[in-house]
Amino acid sequence: MNVLVLGAGQLARMMALASKPLNIEVRAFDVGSNQVVDPLSPNVTFGDLAGGIEFSDAITAEFEHISHDVLAICEASGKLYPSSQSIKTGGDRRLEKTLLENANVANAKHKVVATREQFDEAINTLTLPLILKSALAGYDGKGQWRLKDLSQADAIWQDIETFIKEDTSDQPQAVVVEQMIPFDREVSMVGVRSKNGETQSYPLTENHHTNGVLSVSLAVDEYQSLQKQASEAFEKVANALDYVGVLAIEFFQVGDSLLVNEIAPRVHNSGHWTQQGSDTCQFENHVRAVCNLPIGSTDLVRPTAMVNILGADKVPDDVLAIPSVSVHWYGKTKRAGRKMGHINVCGKNKPELLTRLTKLASILPECDFPEVAEYINQLT
Ligand code: ATP
Ligand code: MG
């Protein structure tokens, strides 16, 4: 079988790696060059989108910010999974919020704002502090503003007005103004839904962000009641979209409750630990689902953590001397803050995992992995 992935980054690459043993061939559509490429060797090209569609039995996406024209062409072939509506919903915070409201899933209070009047009304209706997020094209904390007190309102609005004016999206831009949630921690759930509506979810992952970007994920499978809440939210969202494939949901934990932050209609960075920590990794399960194959067990086989490599193109060789450590590089050119790869670490049990993580943190240079050692120390 053949799969075409819209987007030619690390997620397409890891789908290709996970698909090989199943004899599934993955090619990727690079939205920058409009060429179909080999996700493992992007210099190897196979022609245009039409050829890629012809080649494929199933088409999927590795990110949600894809032009609606491309989505429409792919959907017309009858091979696109998840649907264009699911992908668009993940790429537009307005649609995302409407979906959460309609599916009755708890999330932060919000208002959609495109004018100064609406901005003032949002400030008056919601309680400060507020977080403002671009409706389209937001990722890794980009396109966000924080309003802590009223004196900042004029300056922030000026910034947003310029941002909206200069936006080049193919849809009208706006901002979603959201109540800041005083969360205890951030967790996420990755789950998979098959074409016949079967769902399975992976254990909840605890996520630590550094400068607005995910830096460490920890999967230990010890949050029973939260797991149940998260699985229910996953099912509501996935069923509402008649979703096919892997879908991630980011949550804020407040006391014993979860509020949805956002959804990602794709494999997700906080699910990379599944490559070593689960029966079937998220990449294989996504490909299985879109190819209409049975989905695999999402059980955690051993406590696992993932550390992102952000902006560095090497790590000390001694990292590999730690038992149950796997390093995954994405083959990208080095750029400050860029997701270059990740490190998975496993243990038979949580104490063993934490011992290995502590050892890893002591080897990784603080300049390339800010806050990582601090976060890991606080876990032990
Ligand atoms: P990413 O691509 O990393 O998921 P993003 O740009 O899509 O990020 P969000 O996940 O919505 O944006 O926000 C980034 C981070 O900002 C969150 O992980 C969280 O730490 C913080 N944040 C977002 N919304 C809120 C909120 N309502 N209350 C408190 N913190 C928030
Ligand atoms: Mg997020």
Side-chain angles (χ1 to χ4, degrees):
M1 254 187 296
N2 298 326
V3 172
L4 178 70
V5 181
L6 303 176
Q10 69 266 22
L11 303 178
R13 175 186 169 98
M14 288 186 274
M15 279 187 233
L17 288 168
S19 298
K20 277 277 177 206
L22 288 170
N23 249 351
I24 295 173
E25 192 66 28
V26 173
R27 291 185 184 170
F29 177 64
D30 181 338
V31 296
S33 66
N34 282 327
Q35 285 287 302
V36 173
V37 303
D38 176 351
L40 301 176
S41 311
N43 293 332
V44 178
T45 57
F46 300 103
D48 64 4
L49 180 61
I53 293 173
E54 179 68 33
F55 154 86
S56 64
D57 299 293
I59 306 173
T60 191
E62 67 150 19
F63 76 128
E64 48 277 28
H65 304 303
I66 294 169
S67 94
H68 289 193
D69 292 347
V70 169
L71 291 177
I73 293 167
C74 293
E75 190 138 82
S77 73
K79 301 175 184 176
L80 181 66
Y81 295 99
S83 66
S84 67
Q85 189 54 33
S86 301
I87 298 169
K88 287 176 192 169
T89 303
D92 186 333
R93 293 190 196 275
R94 290 164 289 204
L95 300 177
E96 193 174 13
K97 282 291 194 183
T98 306
L99 167 77
L100 296 173
E101 299 294 328
N102 291 345
N104 204 14
V105 176
N107 64 96
K109 273 202 189 135
H110 80 285
K111 293 267 174 212
V112 177
V113 162
T115 64
R116 177 71 203 231
E117 290 69 39
Q118 291 168 340
F119 178 61
D120 289 337
E121 196 195 320
I123 294 175
N124 290 332
T125 325
L126 302 167
T127 317
L128 265 51
L130 303 173
I131 180 161
L132 297 91
K133 306 179 184 181
S134 68
L136 303 164
Y139 70 99
D140 288 347
K142 294 186 175 64
Q144 294 194 356
W145 300 261
R146 287 167 192 233
L147 195 147
K148 294 188 178 118
D149 73 82
L150 285 176
S151 65
Q152 300 169 295
D154 285 340
I156 288 182
W157 178 252
Q158 261 179 21
D159 235 37
I160 291 174
E161 215 173 20
T162 312
F163 176 83
I164 291 177
K165 251 191 222 137
E166 289 174 357
D167 189 71
T168 54
S169 314
D170 59 358
Q171 304 298 306
Q173 182 62 283
V175 290
V176 171
V177 181
E178 210 175 86
Q179 199 96 56
M180 277 285 237
I181 305 298
F183 57 78
D184 297 312
R185 62 178 170 173
E186 291 187 79
V187 296
S188 61
M189 170 168 277
V190 173
V192 57
R193 187 174 184 274
S194 68
K195 284 189 187 174
N196 63 18
E198 182 198 344
T199 57
Q200 287 209 40
S201 38
Y202 290 94
L204 267 180
T205 306
E206 173 175 327
N207 299 320
H208 179 74
H209 295 81
T210 306
N211 304 323
V213 182
L214 181 69
S215 51
V216 185
S217 284
L218 182 73
V220 290
D221 201 8
E222 63 182 18
Y223 321 109
Q224 268 70 21
S225 83
L226 291 180
Q227 181 76 20
K228 191 162 169 286
Q229 279 182 55
S231 301
E232 282 168 7
F234 171 78
E235 280 177 27
K236 282 183 186 172
V237 169
N239 291 337
L241 291 168
D242 193 17
Y243 195 85
V244 177
V246 162
L247 166 85
I249 307 192
E250 298 177 8
F251 298 93
F252 301 125
Q253 181 188 342
V254 186
D256 294 328
S257 301
L258 294 180
L259 286 181
V260 171
N261 171 26
E262 60 171 353
I263 67 164
R266 55 174 166 81
V267 289
H268 194 254
N269 197 169
S270 71
H272 291 0
W273 66 268
T274 60
Q275 290 170 311
Q276 268 71 45
S278 172
D279 259 341
T280 320
C281 77
Q282 63 164 349
F283 303 102
E284 179 173 337
N285 255 338
H286 183 71
V287 171
R288 285 197 198 195
V290 303
C291 290
N292 206 16
L293 295 168
I295 53 182
S297 156
T298 50
D299 286 353
L300 180 118
V301 290
R302 47 189 183 163
T304 301
M306 183 231 49
V307 178
N308 261 343
I309 305 172
L310 301 167
D313 60 357
K314 49 184 180 302
V315 292
D317 288 344
D318 284 353
V319 161
L320 292 172
I322 303 169
S324 300
V325 160
S326 310
V327 180
H328 301 257
W329 289 107
Y330 308 152
K332 294 201 225 168
T333 313
K334 180 174 167 168
R335 205 167 57 215
R338 192 173 200 195
K339 287 180 179 170
M340 299 292 291
H342 67 272
I343 304 170
N344 284 340
V345 195
C346 309
K348 279 191 291 297
N349 45 45
K350 190 174 174 187
E352 188 174 75
L353 169 63
L354 293 182
T355 303
R356 289 173 180 170
L357 260 180
T358 306
K359 175 76 183 157
L360 175 67
S362 73
I363 296 175
L364 295 174
E366 165 74 20
C367 58
D368 289 332
F369 295 85
E371 286 184 22
V372 166
E374 198 184 316
Y375 170 67
I376 289 168
N377 285 339
Q378 158 251 289
L379 292 169
T380 54

